[in-house]
Amino acid sequence: MATRKRGTRGFTTPLAAGLGLVTGALAVMAAQHRTLRALRIRLDHLEKQVANSHHHANLATQQHLHWQLLSKAIDSPELAEVLDIFEVPASQQKRRQYLFANALYTNLLFYYRIGNISRDEFFGFIRGLVQNPVVREYWNATQGQRATLAEGSDEAELGRMVDELLRQLEEADGDEWWVVGDPPSD
C-alpha cells in the first residue's frame, strides 16, 4: 500500500503544476484579449475623429471658396450676372443683396454642419434672419433651386424647416416673431 500512495503523490504534483500553468496561461490570454479589445475600440474612435476632422477641414475649405466666389460676384455686376439663377428678374442691386443673403444662409448652414450650432440654434438664427424682407425675397426667389436638393440631405431638411417657419410667420397674428414656430428637436 505504501507503493500506491507514493505513485499517486508523484502524479498529483506534476498534474497540479500543469493545471496551474494552463490556468495562468488562460488568465494571461484573457487579459491580453481585453487589452486588445480596448485598444481596438480606442483606435476606431481615433479613426472616426480623424475622418471627422478631415470632413470639417474640407467643409471649411469649400466655405472659404464659396465666400470668395460670392465676394467677387457681389463686387462685379458682370460676374453677378453668372449667378443670376433666381426665379424672378432681379436688378443689379437686388442680385447683390440676394448673393449676400445666400452667403449669410450658407454660413449658418456651415456652422450647423460642423457642429458649432445645434438645430435649435440654427432655427433661432434663421427666425431672426428672415425678418429682413430682402432675405424673404431671396428665399422665395430660390425655391426652385432648393427643390433640386437630395431628399434627406441636411440642406433639404433645413430648407423645408425654413419654408415651414415662413409659412407660420405669415399666418401669425402680432409682432412677436421671436416666439413663432416650434424649434426642432435635435
mmCIF file of all heavy atoms in Angstrom, residues 144-185:
data_model
loop_
_atom_site.group_PDB
_atom_site.id
_atom_site.type_symbol
_atom_site.label_atom_id
_atom_site.label_comp_id
_atom_site.label_asym_id
_atom_site.label_seq_id
_atom_site.Cartn_x
_atom_site.Cartn_y
_atom_site.Cartn_z
ATOM 1 N N GLY A 144 -36.946 77.107 -56.424
ATOM 2 C CA GLY A 144 -36.675 76.068 -57.414
ATOM 3 C C GLY A 144 -35.332 75.397 -57.203
ATOM 4 O O GLY A 144 -35.192 74.192 -57.426
ATOM 5 N N GLN A 145 -34.351 76.153 -56.783
ATOM 6 C CA GLN A 145 -33.031 75.571 -56.520
ATOM 7 C C GLN A 145 -33.097 74.583 -55.358
ATOM 8 O O GLN A 145 -32.487 73.515 -55.404
ATOM 9 C CB GLN A 145 -32.016 76.669 -56.214
ATOM 10 C CG GLN A 145 -31.724 77.564 -57.392
ATOM 11 C CD GLN A 145 -30.835 78.725 -56.985
ATOM 12 O OE1 GLN A 145 -29.935 78.582 -56.176
ATOM 13 N NE2 GLN A 145 -31.107 79.885 -57.547
ATOM 14 N N ARG A 146 -33.830 74.931 -54.312
ATOM 15 C CA ARG A 146 -33.953 74.028 -53.160
ATOM 16 C C ARG A 146 -34.723 72.769 -53.518
ATOM 17 O O ARG A 146 -34.489 71.714 -52.926
ATOM 18 C CB ARG A 146 -34.611 74.754 -51.987
ATOM 19 C CG ARG A 146 -33.696 75.742 -51.308
ATOM 20 C CD ARG A 146 -34.289 76.276 -50.030
ATOM 21 N NE ARG A 146 -35.641 76.812 -50.181
ATOM 22 C CZ ARG A 146 -35.931 78.002 -50.705
ATOM 23 N NH1 ARG A 146 -34.966 78.785 -51.121
ATOM 24 N NH2 ARG A 146 -37.172 78.418 -50.788
ATOM 25 N N ALA A 147 -35.594 72.861 -54.494
ATOM 26 C CA ALA A 147 -36.369 71.683 -54.899
ATOM 27 C C ALA A 147 -35.474 70.617 -55.523
ATOM 28 O O ALA A 147 -35.855 69.447 -55.583
ATOM 29 C CB ALA A 147 -37.466 72.089 -55.874
ATOM 30 N N THR A 148 -34.283 71.001 -55.973
ATOM 31 C CA THR A 148 -33.374 70.033 -56.602
ATOM 32 C C THR A 148 -32.444 69.360 -55.599
ATOM 33 O O THR A 148 -31.661 68.491 -55.983
ATOM 34 C CB THR A 148 -32.503 70.728 -57.675
ATOM 35 O OG1 THR A 148 -31.645 71.679 -57.040
ATOM 36 C CG2 THR A 148 -33.368 71.416 -58.728
ATOM 37 N N LEU A 149 -32.514 69.739 -54.332
ATOM 38 C CA LEU A 149 -31.624 69.151 -53.331
ATOM 39 C C LEU A 149 -31.981 67.697 -53.073
ATOM 40 O O LEU A 149 -33.157 67.308 -53.144
ATOM 41 C CB LEU A 149 -31.705 69.942 -52.020
ATOM 42 C CG LEU A 149 -31.218 71.382 -52.088
ATOM 43 C CD1 LEU A 149 -31.532 72.107 -50.781
ATOM 44 C CD2 LEU A 149 -29.732 71.426 -52.396
ATOM 45 N N ALA A 150 -30.978 66.913 -52.764
ATOM 46 C CA ALA A 150 -31.182 65.488 -52.487
ATOM 47 C C ALA A 150 -32.078 65.315 -51.262
ATOM 48 O O ALA A 150 -31.848 65.935 -50.217
ATOM 49 C CB ALA A 150 -29.843 64.802 -52.260
ATOM 50 N N GLU A 151 -33.076 64.481 -51.419
ATOM 51 C CA GLU A 151 -34.004 64.186 -50.321
ATOM 52 C C GLU A 151 -33.217 63.593 -49.149
ATOM 53 O O GLU A 151 -32.387 62.724 -49.325
ATOM 54 C CB GLU A 151 -35.072 63.199 -50.789
ATOM 55 C CG GLU A 151 -36.205 63.014 -49.819
ATOM 56 C CD GLU A 151 -37.054 64.261 -49.647
ATOM 57 O OE1 GLU A 151 -37.200 65.028 -50.608
ATOM 58 O OE2 GLU A 151 -37.578 64.457 -48.534
ATOM 59 N N GLY A 152 -33.484 64.106 -47.964
ATOM 60 C CA GLY A 152 -32.825 63.598 -46.766
ATOM 61 C C GLY A 152 -31.518 64.300 -46.426
ATOM 62 O O GLY A 152 -30.953 64.061 -45.368
ATOM 63 N N SER A 153 -31.033 65.175 -47.310
ATOM 64 C CA SER A 153 -29.802 65.897 -47.007
ATOM 65 C C SER A 153 -30.073 66.957 -45.950
ATOM 66 O O SER A 153 -31.211 67.406 -45.774
ATOM 67 C CB SER A 153 -29.228 66.545 -48.274
ATOM 68 O OG SER A 153 -30.058 67.609 -48.703
ATOM 69 N N ASP A 154 -29.014 67.361 -45.252
ATOM 70 C CA ASP A 154 -29.149 68.415 -44.238
ATOM 71 C C ASP A 154 -29.773 69.661 -44.845
ATOM 72 O O ASP A 154 -30.686 70.248 -44.276
ATOM 73 C CB ASP A 154 -27.777 68.812 -43.673
ATOM 74 C CG ASP A 154 -27.208 67.804 -42.713
ATOM 75 O OD1 ASP A 154 -27.977 66.981 -42.198
ATOM 76 O OD2 ASP A 154 -25.994 67.861 -42.470
ATOM 77 N N GLU A 155 -29.256 70.047 -45.998
ATOM 78 C CA GLU A 155 -29.718 71.286 -46.611
ATOM 79 C C GLU A 155 -31.192 71.208 -47.013
ATOM 80 O O GLU A 155 -31.941 72.168 -46.840
ATOM 81 C CB GLU A 155 -28.847 71.641 -47.813
ATOM 82 C CG GLU A 155 -29.058 73.053 -48.275
ATOM 83 C CD GLU A 155 -28.014 73.518 -49.283
ATOM 84 O OE1 GLU A 155 -27.075 72.774 -49.581
ATOM 85 O OE2 GLU A 155 -28.167 74.653 -49.762
ATOM 86 N N ALA A 156 -31.615 70.050 -47.519
ATOM 87 C CA ALA A 156 -33.020 69.900 -47.905
ATOM 88 C C ALA A 156 -33.923 69.953 -46.669
ATOM 89 O O ALA A 156 -34.966 70.611 -46.677
ATOM 90 C CB ALA A 156 -33.224 68.587 -48.660
ATOM 91 N N GLU A 157 -33.523 69.270 -45.608
ATOM 92 C CA GLU A 157 -34.332 69.260 -44.387
ATOM 93 C C GLU A 157 -34.405 70.650 -43.749
ATOM 94 O O GLU A 157 -35.469 71.090 -43.315
ATOM 95 C CB GLU A 157 -33.759 68.256 -43.388
ATOM 96 C CG GLU A 157 -33.956 66.809 -43.815
ATOM 97 C CD GLU A 157 -33.330 65.818 -42.855
ATOM 98 O OE1 GLU A 157 -32.960 66.213 -41.724
ATOM 99 O OE2 GLU A 157 -33.218 64.646 -43.231
ATOM 100 N N LEU A 158 -33.272 71.343 -43.702
ATOM 101 C CA LEU A 158 -33.272 72.688 -43.128
ATOM 102 C C LEU A 158 -34.063 73.650 -44.009
ATOM 103 O O LEU A 158 -34.749 74.540 -43.493
ATOM 104 C CB LEU A 158 -31.838 73.179 -42.933
ATOM 105 C CG LEU A 158 -31.032 72.409 -41.879
ATOM 106 C CD1 LEU A 158 -29.576 72.861 -41.887
ATOM 107 C CD2 LEU A 158 -31.640 72.544 -40.504
ATOM 108 N N GLY A 159 -33.987 73.471 -45.320
ATOM 109 C CA GLY A 159 -34.778 74.300 -46.238
ATOM 110 C C GLY A 159 -36.268 74.142 -45.996
ATOM 111 O O GLY A 159 -37.021 75.122 -45.963
ATOM 112 N N ARG A 160 -36.713 72.893 -45.813
ATOM 113 C CA ARG A 160 -38.137 72.659 -45.514
ATOM 114 C C ARG A 160 -38.519 73.271 -44.174
ATOM 115 O O ARG A 160 -39.616 73.788 -44.001
ATOM 116 C CB ARG A 160 -38.451 71.166 -45.551
ATOM 117 C CG ARG A 160 -38.583 70.607 -46.955
ATOM 118 C CD ARG A 160 -39.164 69.212 -46.974
ATOM 119 N NE ARG A 160 -38.356 68.247 -46.244
ATOM 120 C CZ ARG A 160 -37.276 67.626 -46.733
ATOM 121 N NH1 ARG A 160 -36.890 67.881 -47.952
ATOM 122 N NH2 ARG A 160 -36.611 66.760 -46.011
ATOM 123 N N MET A 161 -37.592 73.215 -43.222
ATOM 124 C CA MET A 161 -37.850 73.812 -41.916
ATOM 125 C C MET A 161 -38.038 75.328 -42.062
ATOM 126 O O MET A 161 -38.948 75.905 -41.467
ATOM 127 C CB MET A 161 -36.686 73.511 -40.969
ATOM 128 C CG MET A 161 -36.872 74.055 -39.570
ATOM 129 S SD MET A 161 -35.490 73.670 -38.480
ATOM 130 C CE MET A 161 -34.247 74.796 -39.133
ATOM 131 N N VAL A 162 -37.205 75.973 -42.883
ATOM 132 C CA VAL A 162 -37.324 77.419 -43.100
ATOM 133 C C VAL A 162 -38.632 77.722 -43.840
ATOM 134 O O VAL A 162 -39.330 78.684 -43.500
ATOM 135 C CB VAL A 162 -36.101 77.972 -43.864
ATOM 136 C CG1 VAL A 162 -36.282 79.451 -44.190
ATOM 137 C CG2 VAL A 162 -34.828 77.758 -43.052
ATOM 138 N N ASP A 163 -38.966 76.901 -44.833
ATOM 139 C CA ASP A 163 -40.235 77.092 -45.551
ATOM 140 C C ASP A 163 -41.418 77.053 -44.579
ATOM 141 O O ASP A 163 -42.311 77.901 -44.646
ATOM 142 C CB ASP A 163 -40.429 76.011 -46.620
ATOM 143 C CG ASP A 163 -39.496 76.156 -47.804
ATOM 144 O OD1 ASP A 163 -38.964 77.269 -48.022
ATOM 145 O OD2 ASP A 163 -39.293 75.146 -48.518
ATOM 146 N N GLU A 164 -41.403 76.083 -43.679
ATOM 147 C CA GLU A 164 -42.488 75.950 -42.699
ATOM 148 C C GLU A 164 -42.493 77.136 -41.738
ATOM 149 O O GLU A 164 -43.553 77.660 -41.396
ATOM 150 C CB GLU A 164 -42.342 74.633 -41.929
ATOM 151 C CG GLU A 164 -43.380 74.416 -40.850
ATOM 152 C CD GLU A 164 -44.817 74.377 -41.356
ATOM 153 O OE1 GLU A 164 -45.056 74.108 -42.556
ATOM 154 O OE2 GLU A 164 -45.733 74.618 -40.534
ATOM 155 N N LEU A 165 -41.336 77.577 -41.316
ATOM 156 C CA LEU A 165 -41.249 78.744 -40.433
ATOM 157 C C LEU A 165 -41.822 79.979 -41.125
ATOM 158 O O LEU A 165 -42.602 80.719 -40.519
ATOM 159 C CB LEU A 165 -39.799 78.996 -40.027
ATOM 160 C CG LEU A 165 -39.535 80.273 -39.242
ATOM 161 C CD1 LEU A 165 -40.276 80.274 -37.906
ATOM 162 C CD2 LEU A 165 -38.040 80.458 -39.028
ATOM 163 N N LEU A 166 -41.473 80.194 -42.383
ATOM 164 C CA LEU A 166 -42.002 81.347 -43.116
ATOM 165 C C LEU A 166 -43.521 81.274 -43.241
ATOM 166 O O LEU A 166 -44.209 82.285 -43.105
ATOM 167 C CB LEU A 166 -41.354 81.453 -44.494
ATOM 168 C CG LEU A 166 -39.925 81.977 -44.494
ATOM 169 C CD1 LEU A 166 -39.308 81.859 -45.871
ATOM 170 C CD2 LEU A 166 -39.874 83.406 -43.998
ATOM 171 N N ARG A 167 -44.038 80.075 -43.477
ATOM 172 C CA ARG A 167 -45.493 79.902 -43.552
ATOM 173 C C ARG A 167 -46.128 80.272 -42.215
ATOM 174 O O ARG A 167 -47.131 80.995 -42.168
ATOM 175 C CB ARG A 167 -45.834 78.454 -43.930
ATOM 176 C CG ARG A 167 -47.329 78.231 -44.193
ATOM 177 C CD ARG A 167 -47.685 76.759 -44.287
ATOM 178 N NE ARG A 167 -47.425 76.006 -43.073
ATOM 179 C CZ ARG A 167 -48.125 76.089 -41.950
ATOM 180 N NH1 ARG A 167 -49.147 76.917 -41.858
ATOM 181 N NH2 ARG A 167 -47.813 75.360 -40.894
ATOM 182 N N GLN A 168 -45.546 79.819 -41.122
ATOM 183 C CA GLN A 168 -46.079 80.126 -39.791
ATOM 184 C C GLN A 168 -45.966 81.615 -39.470
ATOM 185 O O GLN A 168 -46.863 82.187 -38.846
ATOM 186 C CB GLN A 168 -45.359 79.293 -38.726
ATOM 187 C CG GLN A 168 -45.676 77.820 -38.802
ATOM 188 C CD GLN A 168 -44.853 76.991 -37.824
ATOM 189 O OE1 GLN A 168 -44.090 77.521 -37.016
ATOM 190 N NE2 GLN A 168 -45.006 75.681 -37.908
ATOM 191 N N LEU A 169 -44.885 82.235 -39.891
ATOM 192 C CA LEU A 169 -44.716 83.672 -39.654
ATOM 193 C C LEU A 169 -45.766 84.480 -40.414
ATOM 194 O O LEU A 169 -46.283 85.472 -39.899
ATOM 195 C CB LEU A 169 -43.306 84.126 -40.052
ATOM 196 C CG LEU A 169 -42.188 83.755 -39.089
ATOM 197 C CD1 LEU A 169 -40.816 83.967 -39.731
ATOM 198 C CD2 LEU A 169 -42.301 84.560 -37.791
ATOM 199 N N GLU A 170 -46.090 84.058 -41.640
ATOM 200 C CA GLU A 170 -47.099 84.767 -42.424
ATOM 201 C C GLU A 170 -48.485 84.624 -41.814
ATOM 202 O O GLU A 170 -49.304 85.535 -41.891
ATOM 203 C CB GLU A 170 -47.096 84.255 -43.865
ATOM 204 C CG GLU A 170 -45.873 84.699 -44.650
ATOM 205 C CD GLU A 170 -45.768 84.034 -46.008
ATOM 206 O OE1 GLU A 170 -46.704 83.305 -46.420
ATOM 207 O OE2 GLU A 170 -44.729 84.229 -46.669
ATOM 208 N N GLU A 171 -48.757 83.480 -41.183
ATOM 209 C CA GLU A 171 -50.064 83.228 -40.583
ATOM 210 C C GLU A 171 -50.191 83.807 -39.179
ATOM 211 O O GLU A 171 -51.297 83.909 -38.652
ATOM 212 C CB GLU A 171 -50.328 81.726 -40.530
ATOM 213 C CG GLU A 171 -50.491 81.077 -41.883
ATOM 214 C CD GLU A 171 -50.634 79.560 -41.779
ATOM 215 O OE1 GLU A 171 -50.531 79.004 -40.662
ATOM 216 O OE2 GLU A 171 -50.852 78.937 -42.832
ATOM 217 N N ALA A 172 -49.067 84.170 -38.559
ATOM 218 C CA ALA A 172 -49.080 84.594 -37.156
ATOM 219 C C ALA A 172 -49.721 85.961 -36.993
ATOM 220 O O ALA A 172 -49.575 86.835 -37.828
ATOM 221 C CB ALA A 172 -47.659 84.629 -36.607
ATOM 222 N N ASP A 173 -50.443 86.102 -35.891
ATOM 223 C CA ASP A 173 -51.004 87.392 -35.507
ATOM 224 C C ASP A 173 -50.029 88.052 -34.541
ATOM 225 O O ASP A 173 -49.496 87.415 -33.635
ATOM 226 C CB ASP A 173 -52.341 87.201 -34.772
ATOM 227 C CG ASP A 173 -53.510 87.199 -35.725
ATOM 228 O OD1 ASP A 173 -53.338 87.673 -36.852
ATOM 229 O OD2 ASP A 173 -54.585 86.728 -35.327
ATOM 230 N N GLY A 174 -49.786 89.300 -34.728
ATOM 231 C CA GLY A 174 -48.944 90.027 -33.781
ATOM 232 C C GLY A 174 -47.528 90.214 -34.278
ATOM 233 O O GLY A 174 -47.110 89.703 -35.301
ATOM 234 N N ASP A 175 -46.820 90.989 -33.493
ATOM 235 C CA ASP A 175 -45.453 91.347 -33.847
ATOM 236 C C ASP A 175 -44.409 90.526 -33.097
ATOM 237 O O ASP A 175 -43.229 90.818 -33.183
ATOM 238 C CB ASP A 175 -45.217 92.837 -33.539
ATOM 239 C CG ASP A 175 -46.068 93.730 -34.427
ATOM 240 O OD1 ASP A 175 -46.338 93.329 -35.569
ATOM 241 O OD2 ASP A 175 -46.455 94.820 -33.963
ATOM 242 N N GLU A 176 -44.801 89.535 -32.360
ATOM 243 C CA GLU A 176 -43.866 88.749 -31.564
ATOM 244 C C GLU A 176 -43.299 87.589 -32.398
ATOM 245 O O GLU A 176 -43.543 86.417 -32.131
ATOM 246 C CB GLU A 176 -44.535 88.250 -30.292
ATOM 247 C CG GLU A 176 -44.937 89.385 -29.370
ATOM 248 C CD GLU A 176 -45.613 88.900 -28.104
ATOM 249 O OE1 GLU A 176 -45.945 87.714 -27.995
ATOM 250 O OE2 GLU A 176 -45.825 89.738 -27.218
ATOM 251 N N TRP A 177 -42.503 87.952 -33.412
ATOM 252 C CA TRP A 177 -41.952 86.960 -34.333
ATOM 253 C C TRP A 177 -41.018 85.966 -33.652
ATOM 254 O O TRP A 177 -40.860 84.845 -34.106
ATOM 255 C CB TRP A 177 -41.210 87.654 -35.482
ATOM 256 C CG TRP A 177 -40.082 88.541 -35.027
ATOM 257 C CD1 TRP A 177 -40.142 89.875 -34.782
ATOM 258 C CD2 TRP A 177 -38.743 88.144 -34.753
ATOM 259 N NE1 TRP A 177 -38.921 90.344 -34.375
ATOM 260 C CE2 TRP A 177 -38.035 89.300 -34.351
ATOM 261 C CE3 TRP A 177 -38.055 86.940 -34.803
ATOM 262 C CZ2 TRP A 177 -36.701 89.273 -33.995
ATOM 263 C CZ3 TRP A 177 -36.717 86.917 -34.461
ATOM 264 C CH2 TRP A 177 -36.049 88.072 -34.064
ATOM 265 N N TRP A 178 -40.388 86.345 -32.554
ATOM 266 C CA TRP A 178 -39.397 85.500 -31.893
ATOM 267 C C TRP A 178 -40.002 84.297 -31.185
ATOM 268 O O TRP A 178 -39.288 83.412 -30.751
ATOM 269 C CB TRP A 178 -38.557 86.324 -30.911
ATOM 270 C CG TRP A 178 -39.374 87.058 -29.889
ATOM 271 C CD1 TRP A 178 -39.743 86.610 -28.659
ATOM 272 C CD2 TRP A 178 -39.922 88.375 -30.033
ATOM 273 N NE1 TRP A 178 -40.504 87.558 -28.022
ATOM 274 C CE2 TRP A 178 -40.620 88.666 -28.839
ATOM 275 C CE3 TRP A 178 -39.894 89.339 -31.018
ATOM 276 C CZ2 TRP A 178 -41.287 89.862 -28.633
ATOM 277 C CZ3 TRP A 178 -40.548 90.529 -30.804
ATOM 278 C CH2 TRP A 178 -41.231 90.776 -29.623
ATOM 279 N N VAL A 179 -41.347 84.251 -31.102
ATOM 280 C CA VAL A 179 -41.995 83.083 -30.490
ATOM 281 C C VAL A 179 -42.747 82.251 -31.523
ATOM 282 O O VAL A 179 -43.350 81.246 -31.171
ATOM 283 C CB VAL A 179 -42.957 83.503 -29.347
ATOM 284 C CG1 VAL A 179 -42.188 84.144 -28.216
ATOM 285 C CG2 VAL A 179 -44.057 84.417 -29.870
ATOM 286 N N VAL A 180 -42.696 82.643 -32.776
ATOM 287 C CA VAL A 180 -43.413 81.919 -33.824
ATOM 288 C C VAL A 180 -42.597 80.696 -34.227
ATOM 289 O O VAL A 180 -41.389 80.749 -34.380
ATOM 290 C CB VAL A 180 -43.671 82.821 -35.058
ATOM 291 C CG1 VAL A 180 -44.281 82.029 -36.202
ATOM 292 C CG2 VAL A 180 -44.572 83.975 -34.660
ATOM 293 N N GLY A 181 -43.292 79.600 -34.438
ATOM 294 C CA GLY A 181 -42.652 78.366 -34.893
ATOM 295 C C GLY A 181 -42.150 77.524 -33.737
ATOM 296 O O GLY A 181 -41.800 78.032 -32.681
ATOM 297 N N ASP A 182 -42.176 76.238 -33.967
ATOM 298 C CA ASP A 182 -41.682 75.305 -32.966
ATOM 299 C C ASP A 182 -40.255 74.906 -33.323
ATOM 300 O O ASP A 182 -40.036 74.309 -34.375
ATOM 301 C CB ASP A 182 -42.565 74.052 -32.907
ATOM 302 C CG ASP A 182 -43.977 74.383 -32.452
ATOM 303 O OD1 ASP A 182 -44.105 75.208 -31.541
ATOM 304 O OD2 ASP A 182 -44.928 73.797 -33.002
ATOM 305 N N PRO A 183 -39.296 75.212 -32.447
ATOM 306 C CA PRO A 183 -37.925 74.796 -32.736
ATOM 307 C C PRO A 183 -37.862 73.266 -32.844
ATOM 308 O O PRO A 183 -38.531 72.559 -32.106
ATOM 309 C CB PRO A 183 -37.132 75.268 -31.521
ATOM 310 C CG PRO A 183 -37.971 76.314 -30.889
ATOM 311 C CD PRO A 183 -39.393 75.939 -31.214
ATOM 312 N N PRO A 184 -37.087 72.774 -33.785
ATOM 313 C CA PRO A 184 -36.980 71.326 -33.946
ATOM 314 C C PRO A 184 -36.203 70.730 -32.788
ATOM 315 O O PRO A 184 -35.417 71.413 -32.135
ATOM 316 C CB PRO A 184 -36.200 71.175 -35.248
ATOM 317 C CG PRO A 184 -35.374 72.413 -35.311
ATOM 318 C CD PRO A 184 -36.213 73.487 -34.688
ATOM 319 N N SER A 185 -36.428 69.475 -32.534
ATOM 320 C CA SER A 185 -35.623 68.800 -31.521
ATOM 321 C C SER A 185 -34.503 68.054 -32.234
ATOM 322 O O SER A 185 -34.699 67.470 -33.280
ATOM 323 C CB SER A 185 -36.469 67.861 -30.679
ATOM 324 O OG SER A 185 -37.343 67.125 -31.486
#
